[in-house]
Amino acid sequence: MPMLLLRDLPRYECLLEGARRFPELDPSACEVYLHVLRAGDEAFRSCGEPLEAHGISAGRFTVLMLLLRKRHDACGAMLTPAELADKAGVTRATMTGLIDTLERDGFVRREPDPNDRRMTPVTLTPAGEALLQGVVPAYFQRMGSLVAHLSESERRTLVTLLAKLVRGNETEDPSVTSTDGAAPAPVCPSGSLNSSVP
């Protein structure tokens, strides 16, 4: 579901008029807010299409990418469901549901730790890596096309401003975290997908 349920953004003059009726409304802040939501919707729609084409949700894609990155770490240690939940910024109950569906479809498996029966690390299966092999190229191509019209300098400026926006809100309310895992993080594996898929 889109974050912004408006087809056309209001003109700045309309925001000024709104501020006369509602003194709490900061026109420039509202303009930034609406454009951030619109950009987020466009990014989520564009990058979500390759996932939909392969029948995978954004949340499940994020889990698979986290596991892929961990597989290519030097230490090679597997991740537990609790660790995956922390990294994805979702509740443990949400992560359990994501892992359950991925395991049902054969993309991951839980492997009991022989040294600690309380631990059940999750690992990526060959089928999971094969799925990523089909999804990731198109996903990253969409990501690139989304900002293709921005220069490298403009991209860096945008990253800096968005990071500043996020940091400011975290300072105001550090308890706010994501709970639905809706937006997949572009978790980049350190190794090549081609070298891992049988």
Side-chain angles (χ1 to χ4, degrees), residues 3-165:
M3 294 180 288
L4 181 63
L5 299 177
L6 285 176
R7 179 182 177 187
D8 300 312
L9 298 184
R11 300 189 311 275
Y12 193 74
E13 293 77 9
C14 296
L15 298 179
L16 291 173
E17 178 63 28
R20 283 192 280 272
R21 295 184 58 196
F22 301 99
E24 298 82 4
L25 172 62
D26 179 340
S28 66
C30 185
E31 185 179 40
V32 170
Y33 174 78
L34 292 174
H35 278 84
V36 167
L37 290 186
R38 172 57 55 80
D41 280 344
E42 178 57 24
F44 193 72
R45 181 200 63 76
S46 179
C47 292
E49 288 177 353
L51 307 186
E52 293 175 6
H54 287 81
I56 185 171
S57 70
R60 300 208 303 164
F61 177 68
T62 297
V63 175
L64 292 175
M65 290 297 283
L66 286 169
L67 291 173
L68 180 67
R69 183 177 69 173
K70 192 63 177 178
R71 171 170 287 190
H72 290 284
D73 281 352
C75 64
M78 290 185 290
L79 292 169
T80 66
E83 290 170 333
L84 284 167
D86 290 341
K87 289 180 179 296
V90 301
T91 65
R92 294 187 179 188
T94 295
M95 182 54 64
T96 296
L98 291 170
I99 294 172
D100 284 347
T101 60
L102 288 168
E103 187 173 37
R104 178 200 66 201
D105 293 339
F107 298 135
V108 305
R109 61 173 171 265
R110 292 177 170 94
E111 297 188 353
D113 189 334
N115 300 317
D116 188 344
R117 293 182 179 179
R118 298 169 300 175
M119 307 293 284
T120 54
V122 182
T123 186
L124 199 60
T125 65
E129 290 208 36
L131 174 66
L132 288 177
Q133 180 66 52
V135 174
V136 168
Y139 180 80
F140 284 149
Q141 286 171 2
R142 289 297 184 91
M143 190 185 299
S145 65
L146 193 68
V147 296
H149 58 288
L150 298 180
S151 68
E152 191 62 32
S153 175
E154 288 172 328
R155 296 179 189 187
R156 296 313 310 163
T157 298
L158 181 59
V159 168
T160 299
L161 292 174
L162 291 174
K164 184 176 182 179
L165 181 66

